[in-house]
């Protein structure tokens, strides 16, 4: 398996070569040269597998330069009942026949991103141990990626984490979860701006190849291919849990701001998983919904980004979307590079009058958006009807998913996080705060450790440079 760039400027590389790198040298994203195809016989054989065993079958098709025994050990070390609360790892919760929630939020930070990030931490440490190198991870978060990355990397030998987040734009729980970490290899940088400012800084640093090489900069944002491929696994797991045979199709409803989670569903579908529809749900920041409805991809200016009650999706430039457009264009890297030369200047592109817009339906995508009133009503409705409490992002997925639900096609809504992370909205919806899992009772009262910086690339570079002079 070799990996190429969506913009065509990178020679084919192995999984290990792209694992630590983030953006490709040409500014594009790594993609497998071909998607492995899963046969009906393989699907049948996989149906009864445990989560770690299934993860090995899928990941080994994308990772062929790590010895099988090592990869198997890394996977089994990651996906344990101790870390994820049960041997199931991603248990399926049935609300009623044909309507399910896939539980993805039982890891250390109570968010779906733990599932990929815990594996990433172990892969990084394995790779660095072989070379004796250090790695400085630079990431941006709108809420959950940051804490998932920090909890996965805390105390890991040879790794520092520099995590940018928009000052005052996350929930109090999310903020405390990150800023309360006292590990010496964790550096939280609260940026005066919005998430897109943070993401732009990460991309600018990644595109400064001299600085990136000198400081061994890597990324854990979902532009890292390993994040995407680790998430492919739970689409298969959810499909098997919601069906009786491989003759059935399912649809997945996926809350999505950065297009990473639903990109994994796209990969699973391209591999041959019987997915009828990938239902993309946005909040008020509806850049992705607008594209799938109209064919126009119009990244918003940072001043247009709304601060909402599902803050992890307060994103106006979806960094993984380029991967789907690469496939939609028939993997035409020149066309992708041309489209993103406009995007990188803050401009839109319009495919509505091209044959590509009609092709979108061939990939199973449909979309919709939600609002504060809609998500509060959905939380209340799901709680009253099924005695199940969901967070604000999962509510967006349920709201849009149910609008596209079809008779005879099981609908699986992907859980984003546990309700405890968004207590104010839960209080508004049902009249009382959600229960907190053990160990999180006094999170907001813990001492916090972070610095505040302007949304300035050089300021962040200077801070990284200063911290890298200290020993790990």
């Amino acid at each position: 398996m070799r990996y190429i760039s969506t913009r065509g400027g990178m020679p084919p590389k192995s999984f290990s070569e792209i694992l630590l790198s983030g953006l490709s040298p040409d500014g594009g994203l790594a993609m497998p040269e071909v998607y492995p195809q899963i046969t009906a016989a393989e699907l049948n054989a996989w149906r009864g597998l445990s989560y770690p065993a299934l993860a090995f079958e899928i990941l080994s098709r994308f990772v062929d330069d790590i010895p099988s025994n090592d990869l198997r050990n890394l996977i089994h070390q990651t996906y344990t009942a101790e870390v994820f609360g049960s041997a199931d790892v991603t248990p399926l919760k049935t609300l009623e026949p044909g309507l399910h929630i896939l539980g993805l939020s039982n890891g250390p930070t109570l968010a779906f991103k733990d599932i990929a990030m815990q594996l990433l931490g172990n892969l990084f440490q394995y790779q660095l141990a072989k070379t004796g190198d250090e790695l400085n991870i630079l990431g941006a978060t709108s809420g959950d990626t940051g804490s998932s990355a920090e909890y996965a990397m805390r105390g890991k030998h040879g790794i520092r984490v520099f995590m940018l987040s928009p000052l005052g734009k996350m929930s109090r729980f999310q903020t405390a979860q990150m800023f309360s970490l006292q590990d010496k290899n964790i550096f939280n940088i609260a940026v005066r701006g919005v998430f897109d400012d943070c993401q732009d800084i990460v991309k600018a640093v990644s595109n400064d190849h001299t600085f990136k090489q000198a400081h061994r900069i890597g990324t854990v944002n979902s532009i890292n291919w390993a994040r995407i491929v680790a998430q492919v696994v739970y689409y298969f797991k959810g499909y098997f849990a919601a069906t009786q045979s491989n003759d059935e199709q399912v649809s997945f409803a996926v809350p999505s701001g950065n297009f990473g989670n639903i990109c994994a569903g796209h990969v699973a579908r391209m591999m041959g998983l019987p997915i009828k529809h990938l239902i993309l749900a946005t909040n008020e920041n509806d850049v992705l919904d607008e594209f799938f409805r109209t064919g126009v991809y119009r990244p918003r200016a940072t001043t247009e980004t709304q601060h909402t009650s599902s803050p992890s999706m307060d994103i106006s430039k979806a960094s993984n979307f380029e991967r789907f457009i690469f496939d939609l264009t028939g993997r035409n890297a020149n066309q992708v590079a041309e489209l993103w030369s406009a995007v990188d200047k803050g401009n839109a592109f319009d495919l509505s009058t091209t044959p590509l817009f009609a092709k979108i339906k061939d990939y199973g995508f449909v979309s919709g958006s939600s609002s504060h009133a809609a998500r509060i009503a959905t939380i209340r409705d799901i709680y009253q009807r099924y005695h199940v409490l969901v967070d604000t992002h999962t509510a967006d997925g349920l709201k849009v998913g149910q609008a596209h639900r079809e008779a005879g096609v099981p609908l699986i809504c992907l859980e984003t996080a546990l309700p405890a992370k968004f207590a104010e909205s839960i209080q508004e919806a049902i009249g009382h705060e959600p229960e907190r899992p053990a160990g999180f009772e006094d999170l907001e009262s813990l001492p916090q450790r972070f610095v505040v910086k302007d949304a300035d690339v050089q300021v962040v570079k200077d801070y990284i440079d200063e911290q890298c002079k200290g020993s790990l």
Side-chain angles (χ1 to χ4, degrees):
M1 174 63 77
R2 292 292 176 266
Y3 292 87
I4 54 177
S5 169
T6 51
R7 302 189 192 180
M10 179 178 80
K13 293 187 174 184
S14 70
F15 176 83
S16 293
E17 287 176 308
I18 64 159
L19 172 62
L20 304 177
S21 62
L23 283 176
S24 303
D26 60 359
L29 302 179
M31 286 283 274
E33 278 189 319
V34 294
Y35 291 118
Q37 295 303 295
I38 308 307
T39 66
E42 284 169 327
L43 268 185
N44 282 325
W46 292 359
R47 181 168 278 276
L49 294 181
S50 68
Y51 196 95
L54 178 63
F56 176 76
E57 291 297 334
I58 293 168
L59 291 169
S60 61
R61 282 158 172 76
F62 291 93
V63 184
D64 58 8
D65 60 335
I66 294 176
S68 289
N69 280 343
D70 289 357
L71 181 61
R72 188 181 279 106
N73 288 338
L74 287 166
I75 290 168
H76 280 265
Q77 174 189 337
T78 301
Y79 297 114
T80 66
E82 290 71 34
V83 174
F84 288 99
S86 76
D88 256 0
V89 179
T90 59
L92 190 78
K93 190 178 295 175
T94 299
L95 302 182
E96 64 179 56
L99 179 60
H100 314 276
I101 296 174
L102 189 62
L104 303 177
S105 305
N106 301 311
T109 72
L110 318 182
F112 81 94
K113 294 178 180 180
D114 287 327
I115 292 173
M117 207 69 78
Q118 287 288 311
L119 179 65
L120 213 60
N122 289 329
L123 283 168
F124 279 4
Q125 186 164 252
Y126 170 86
Q127 197 66 19
L128 292 170
K130 291 203 313 190
T131 61
D133 288 332
E134 289 185 357
L135 179 68
N136 292 303
I137 292 167
L138 177 62
T141 187
S142 53
D144 292 325
T145 293
S147 54
S148 292
E150 290 176 358
Y151 277 73
M153 306 296 168
R154 60 188 304 200
K156 288 273 194 288
H157 184 69
I159 298 176
R160 295 183 190 86
V161 178
F162 295 90
M163 189 57 62
L164 310 179
S165 60
L167 179 64
K169 301 291 195 297
M170 301 185 293
S171 77
R172 286 181 67 237
F173 188 105
Q174 288 173 311
T175 303
Q177 205 168 30
M178 287 173 54
F179 293 0
S180 64
L181 289 181
Q182 303 297 321
D183 304 74
K184 289 181 179 176
N185 70 325
I186 303 296
F187 301 91
N188 279 301
I189 306 168
V191 173
R192 295 184 182 98
V194 297
F195 169 76
D196 294 293
D197 294 314
C198 302
Q199 186 163 260
D200 287 346
I201 292 169
V202 171
K203 287 189 173 180
V205 173
S206 293
N207 281 321
D208 182 340
H209 302 301
T210 304
F211 184 89
K212 182 179 177 181
Q213 193 167 10
H215 292 80
R216 293 288 293 157
I217 301 290
T219 182
V220 290
N221 276 48
S222 52
I223 56 176
N224 188 308
W225 172 254
R227 278 272 307 276
I228 302 296
V229 75
Q231 291 172 260
V232 170
V233 177
Y234 55 66
Y235 280 88
F236 281 83
K237 192 68 175 165
Y239 172 80
F240 292 137
T243 60
Q244 299 298 313
S245 86
N246 300 328
D247 298 326
E248 298 177 62
Q249 284 188 311
V250 304
S251 291
F252 286 93
V254 189
S256 194
N258 223 4
F259 205 78
N261 201 4
I262 203 163
C263 185
H266 166 65
V267 174
R269 193 175 183 276
M270 295 295 283
M271 291 171 70
L273 190 65
I275 296 174
K276 184 167 188 188
H277 284 125
L278 289 162
I279 304 167
L280 184 146
T282 70
N283 62 15
E284 294 89 335
N285 296 294
D286 61 350
V287 60
L288 289 170
D289 175 44
E290 181 178 64
F291 171 79
F292 284 102
R293 283 187 296 102
T294 69
V296 177
Y297 181 61
R298 184 178 67 86
R300 313 296 195 250
T302 55
T303 51
E304 289 183 80
T305 306
Q306 297 184 50
H307 179 38
T308 76
S309 50
S310 49
S312 298
M313 299 195 295
D314 291 350
I315 295 169
S316 299
K317 278 183 275 189
S319 58
N320 272 286
F321 184 57
E322 186 173 335
R323 286 187 162 115
F324 172 66
I325 296 297
F326 182 61
D327 282 342
L328 182 67
T329 61
R331 303 197 140 208
N332 185 332
N334 290 333
Q335 189 173 1
V336 172
E338 186 181 328
L339 291 171
W340 255 264
S341 71
V343 170
D344 289 341
K345 295 185 183 84
N347 297 321
F349 63 75
D350 184 355
L351 302 183
S352 62
T353 58
T354 74
L356 293 177
F357 186 51
K359 276 182 65 181
I360 289 171
K361 68 178 185 301
D362 298 337
Y363 293 89
F365 280 95
V366 293
S367 70
S369 65
S370 184
S371 64
H372 179 73
R375 75 181 61 97
I376 295 298
T378 301
I379 292 168
R380 186 180 298 125
D381 176 61
I382 296 296
Y383 186 65
Q384 289 174 346
R385 277 204 286 163
Y386 306 113
H387 309 293
V388 170
L389 198 52
V390 298
D391 83 291
T392 48
H393 309 76
T394 308
D396 288 341
L398 282 160
K399 184 258 182 187
V400 175
Q402 289 181 100
H404 288 282
R405 190 178 174 190
E406 300 167 274
V409 181
L411 175 63
I412 303 171
C413 297
L414 297 194
E415 181 183 72
T416 300
L418 292 193
K421 301 188 85 164
F422 306 96
E424 287 179 18
S425 295
I426 301 303
Q427 170 85 44
E428 182 181 346
I430 65 170
H432 61 83
E433 290 198 356
E435 280 185 38
R436 289 205 170 189
F440 291 93
E441 295 85 358
D442 300 310
L443 189 64
E444 289 91 338
S445 65
L446 295 174
Q448 296 191 359
R449 178 173 163 265
F450 65 100
V451 296
V452 178
K453 300 288 182 186
D454 288 333
D456 183 301
V457 176
Q458 192 57 50
V459 166
V460 172
K461 282 183 183 174
D462 290 345
Y463 180 73
I464 292 170
D465 188 55
E466 184 186 329
Q467 301 310 317
C468 287
K469 289 169 183 168
S471 61
L472 270 170

